[in-house]
Amino acid sequence: KHREDKPFAVMVADLDTAHALCVIDPAAQRVLVGRRRPVVLLPRRPDTPLAPAVAPGNRNLGLMLPYTPLHHLLLRDTAGPIVLTSGNVSDEPISYQDEDARRRLAGIADAFLTHDRAIHMRTDDSVMRVFRGAELPVRRARGYAPEPLTLAQPAPRPILGCGAELKSTFCLARGRHAFMSHHIGDLENYETLRSFTEGITHFRRLFDVQPEVVAHDLHPEYLSTKYAHDLPDVELIGVQHHHAHIASCLADNGVAGPVLGVAFDGLGYGSDGTLWGGEFLLADLAGFQRLAHLVPVPMPGGTAAIRQPWRMAAAYLGSDAPEELAQRHAERWDAVLAMAHRQVNAPLTSSAGRLFDAVAAVLGIRDTINYEGQAAVELEQRADLTERGSYPAAVTKGPALQLHGADLVRAVAADLQAGVAPEIISTRFHHGVADAIIRVCVMLRESTGVRVAALSGGVFQNVLLLERTVAGLEQSGFRVLTHSRVPPNDGGISLGQVAVAGALLRAGSERSNPVPALAD
């Protein structure tokens, strides 16, 4: 399936087998055995008798229990757990029609088990983490979609939210009901775009919703944005990516705001035309102000810096990078440094995801990725959970507060050169990011009076970071909103877009772009 490092889900016959493989607390067990039967990410036991390739570099396993009679029959006749994965080539939608499956999966599958009943709609398995006794969705699909989400305020007119590009979903809203789609995939090829458009047609017919208003991301090159602009006879509302993240968290919690929203992710198109991703927003559903952000750094090579995290390490550290890192990439090191210095083919970004990438590369954990977010995932997995230390990061004042991520990367490099174990460094970095978030939120509370914080964006799938951040904010007197019904990653963007569009319509706004001016 061309997924060399990405973990597979494992299906087990019963709870006893699950407990033999993983540590399962009561909250996780409730999710595992519940009627929705998602894949649940659980701490694996050190002596788990599974092949290393099932979940390489990961101390968690994605476990699931049978949810069809066929699964029970298969597991009855096998000697142990089985890897269960979707019928598709990586980055393509599931093949759910017999002839299409035989054509596209002939090089993967040794056999095909067909049925005389056609599959009506493809859908992936849902994936959940458990945080403080509640579900933290990573992927919302089978078992959860298309069950409607209840909106705190009704949509004045039927709305379609087109989502983003990665982890694509769409959302149709009518009245108080939001029908968010299953996970579709990354909208980067024709097959996935076709699945996206077919899904919208299916939902429109199934729920009898004919959208009059269409909300979309501001990025002009997203296929979801182009789809929105090609629709006839609809009102378009552009929603800034990170505002949509915070709005999805507000909708998830039934709150209108205002909140201090912390949106940390890979990147998204900012209202100033640059690439954002480490944002502190004063936000409600109808608008936002950008009050603070990570200091922007260049991405040498543009999207190449996403696929090759070592480029971000070079951008952050320059000539101060550890010699071993520079030697690993000696052929291109000087050219990449020059690219970053001159900002040629090196767009600036305030992305928190790229900060995590840089640290993973400095520690030698991951120089090149094979799937989205891999470097950050493996950095979290390497952390020593007994470590209590933290790295400091400066915050400087200006039109917006600026958080200096480079301080964290330099501290990582210094400890590595001093011989500190990467596991300890990883934890200190995570703690440093969390402590910096808390510090900035406290500073912003002093200037705004807002005492509610909302955490969203794919970086907050990281439970180590999330726990430290939530605990610190609560100790500082904040009420903290996190996700429990939709993913914090881009899979929740479509719900946020619908929530923003509904708020603007209720306010009687006629703007086609709901992004206000940046904070003074």
Side-chain angles (χ1 to χ4, degrees):
K1 291 186 59 172
H2 309 301
R3 48 183 292 167
E4 294 86 354
D5 300 309
K6 196 171 185 179
F8 286 97
V10 175
M11 179 174 279
V12 294
D14 49 42
L15 264 179
D16 288 342
T17 308
H19 278 285
L21 297 178
C22 292
V23 178
I24 307 174
D25 64 25
Q29 181 168 311
R30 285 193 297 272
V31 179
L32 190 65
V33 303
R35 63 180 176 85
R36 303 175 189 272
R37 292 293 169 98
V39 177
V40 184
L41 302 182
L42 299 164
R44 66 194 297 173
R45 296 188 184 278
D47 55 348
T48 299
L50 292 178
V54 171
N58 201 313
R59 59 185 168 211
N60 290 333
L61 277 179
L63 286 191
M64 61 196 308
L65 293 174
Y67 58 87
T68 71
L70 174 61
H71 294 147
H72 286 282
L73 293 173
L74 285 172
L75 287 161
R76 184 192 65 186
D77 294 338
T78 57
I82 60 173
V83 168
L84 195 72
T85 187
S86 53
N88 65 311
V89 178
S90 185
D91 298 328
E92 292 185 3
I94 293 173
S95 296
Y96 71 107
Q97 296 172 332
D98 290 350
E99 291 307 314
D100 180 58
R102 290 190 178 97
R103 176 177 58 84
R104 291 168 57 197
L105 304 179
I108 299 173
D110 296 313
F112 293 88
L113 177 61
T114 61
H115 201 286
D116 58 2
R117 292 181 63 188
I119 298 172
H120 190 59
M121 177 59 63
R122 56 186 147 206
T123 184
D124 283 276
D125 292 312
S126 295
V127 180
M128 297 286 152
R129 299 192 83 164
V130 177
F131 176 70
R132 293 191 166 191
E135 292 176 330
L136 175 63
V138 175
R139 184 169 72 197
R140 184 180 184 271
R142 178 193 52 76
Y144 296 81
E147 182 177 324
L149 300 162
T150 301
L151 299 172
Q153 297 291 329
R157 295 158 62 190
I159 303 170
L160 167 65
C162 293
E165 181 175 69
L166 301 181
K167 299 177 175 62
S168 171
T169 63
F170 60 84
C171 184
L172 284 167
R174 182 187 61 207
R176 286 187 177 273
H177 290 147
F179 303 96
M180 199 172 94
S181 77
H182 52 284
H183 166 85
I184 294 170
D186 296 344
L187 277 184
E188 295 179 323
N189 55 58
Y190 170 74
E191 290 292 341
T192 310
L193 177 62
R194 187 174 69 175
S195 177
F196 173 79
T197 58
E198 289 175 351
I200 292 174
T201 300
H202 174 66
F203 269 49
R204 287 174 61 171
R205 182 175 62 251
L206 184 64
F207 299 113
D208 192 24
V209 179
Q210 301 304 319
E212 299 174 7
V213 178
V214 176
H216 61 83
D217 196 273
L218 295 183
H219 199 302
E221 294 304 314
Y222 280 1
L223 294 181
S224 58
T225 302
K226 293 180 178 181
Y227 170 83
H229 280 269
D230 286 342
L231 292 174
D233 304 321
V234 295
E235 178 183 345
L236 296 178
I237 295 180
V239 182
Q240 198 279 324
H241 188 89
H242 301 94
H243 184 207
H245 268 309
I246 300 305
S248 75
C249 188
L250 295 178
D252 197 331
N253 288 274
V255 173
V259 297
L260 293 175
V262 185
F264 273 27
D265 66 356
L267 53 83
Y269 197 80
S271 55
D272 60 358
T274 65
L275 300 175
W276 294 4
E279 310 306 314
F280 296 81
L281 310 178
L282 175 61
D284 58 18
L285 293 178
F288 74 92
Q289 290 179 294
R290 190 191 194 199
L291 299 187
H293 56 83
L294 282 167
V295 174
V297 295
M299 288 174 55
T303 56
I306 299 174
R307 298 188 299 269
Q308 300 172 8
W310 68 268
R311 291 173 178 257
M312 292 308 304
Y316 266 105
L317 294 175
S319 58
D320 295 329
E323 184 177 350
E324 182 181 344
L325 174 63
Q327 288 178 347
R328 290 202 303 268
H329 305 282
E331 291 184 1
R332 291 176 288 174
W333 186 259
D334 289 341
V336 167
L337 286 187
M339 199 182 300
H341 178 71
R342 297 170 185 166
Q343 295 185 21
V344 175
N345 190 25
L348 292 174
T349 182
S350 57
S351 166
R354 303 290 79 79
L355 172 63
F356 277 72
D357 285 354
V359 171
V362 170
L363 294 181
I365 292 172
R366 179 58 56 180
D367 282 357
T368 303
I369 65 168
N370 296 312
Y371 63 88
E372 194 262 335
Q374 182 180 6
V377 168
E378 294 182 357
L379 181 64
E380 178 191 2
Q381 297 303 314
R382 288 290 292 274
D384 180 346
L385 302 183
T386 65
E387 170 62 24
R388 295 292 177 263
S390 175
Y391 297 131
V395 179
T396 54
K397 295 183 178 180
L401 298 180
Q402 295 205 36
L403 173 58
H404 291 255
D407 290 351
L408 300 172
V409 184
R410 283 193 288 266
V412 164
D415 262 2
L416 183 67
Q417 291 173 325
V420 179
E423 291 77 8
I424 291 176
I425 296 173
S426 172
T427 308
R428 291 176 179 175
F429 167 73
H430 279 85
H431 289 175
V433 174
D435 294 348
I437 291 171
I438 296 160
R439 182 183 174 199
V440 171
C441 286
V442 169
M443 294 172 70
L444 295 178
R445 181 177 62 192
E446 293 173 357
S447 61
T448 65
V450 175
R451 305 180 64 85
V452 181
L455 308 180
S456 192
V459 170
F460 286 113
Q461 292 173 159
N462 182 320
V463 172
L464 173 59
L465 175 70
L466 185 63
E467 174 57 44
R468 174 89 172 197
T469 305
V470 171
L473 287 170
E474 289 177 341
Q475 290 170 7
S476 299
F478 281 92
R479 177 190 175 196
V480 186
L481 307 179
T482 59
H483 286 266
S484 62
R485 297 193 296 166
V486 301
N489 60 42
D490 282 7
I493 285 282
S494 62
L495 176 64
Q497 292 170 341
V498 161
V500 170
L504 290 171
L505 293 172
R506 286 192 299 273
S509 172
E510 296 181 355
R511 291 178 298 170
S512 62
N513 185 340
V515 182
L518 300 183
D520 293 330

